[in-house]
Amino acid sequence: MARRLLFLPGSAPLAVASVATSIKPRPLPPAELVHPPVSKGITRLSKQTTISADFGASGKGLHYNSPVTVKVKPAPAYTGYVFRRVDLNDFEVPASPEHVAHVSYATTLMKSGVMIATVEHLLSALMGCGVDNAIIEIDSVEAPILDGSSGPWAELIERAGVVELQAPRGYLSVLKRVEVREKDRVMSIEPADEFRVTCLIDFDHPMIGEQRREIGIGRRNYSKEIAPARTFGFVEEIEALRQSGLARGGSLENAIALTRDGMLNPEPLRFEDEFVRHKILDIIGDLALAGMPVLGHVRALRSGHGLHTMLLSTLLRDRDAWEVTNGKY
Ligand SMILES: [Zn+2]
């Protein structure tokens, strides 16, 4: 049997109260959209998108190890990402900051006691591949971990195709810098004319050490440079995590398993800096909870899911820090 392991060592548990927010930006109808000033350059308006056809995947959840099937379906404009528990009378849980319930080692949504765990890799793929609207039918409590990356999701999306809808796309445009901290973890977002992430991780491990990467997120480079990066965990910490009910489905097939001075996986890393790339993958997935693409530059230092969702909720609570626009300029 494959060895089990933990998930995302950089994620510190944070109080739920710091994450929940009732503020959620909605894509505005055309009449209310804030039009970007043309004088700053060529305005490139774009439309909301969805997938052209259903796609799905089956597997097991990383933490709860439950068998699960997901079917992703096209959705009309202004839907955003909505999870639908087909095993619970089609109960719907929108992917939104106000429904974030847990942020330890994964991002878990909950509404009226109905949970959807470990949503970040699928949401990352949808956002990274430029899909604005989708219904995600799921028949269990946790999204399948697949190979531990967003690569299989990105491939399924590309194969299904992405189609434009007859509604303008809203962007969450950051207007001023917002920063959150927790001990030595820092994360900020500042105004930018694209979605850009600068990420630094720092682990006392010979295969990781200090890794830094900066990338402007676009559909093409997301699939090639970010989506294939796998999650990772330390073998030494497995038992404690498993005793707290996590990482029950972790194996060498769905994560990089780090020993004290190497790794257990027989195959090589997919990238020399696969670890920081996966962190960027997680940041994209957690910020996808905004419900629309973000125009802003994220800087993350030793961040985890708690800080990612805290940054988003702190940003959204500050009504002077963002506006919804309908184009890049
Ligand atoms: Zn992850």
Side-chain angles (χ1 to χ4, degrees), residues 219-229 271 277:
R219 190 167 155 187
R220 206 161 285 173
N221 65 5
Y222 175 83
S223 292
K224 278 191 185 159
E225 297 179 29
I226 301 298
F271 306 97
R277 288 176 194 247

Side-chain angles (χ1 to χ4, degrees), residues 58 60 121 144-153 155 227-232 251-256 265 267 270 274 278 281:
S58 296
K60 285 190 168 182
H121 296 173
I145 188 63
L146 305 180
D147 72 348
S149 78
S150 293
W153 292 124
E155 278 177 33
R230 292 164 296 169
T231 191
F232 56 98
S251 76
L252 296 181
E253 282 73 52
N254 57 36
I256 302 165
N265 306 60
E267 74 276 15
R270 296 178 178 178
E274 188 167 355
H278 186 80
L281 183 161

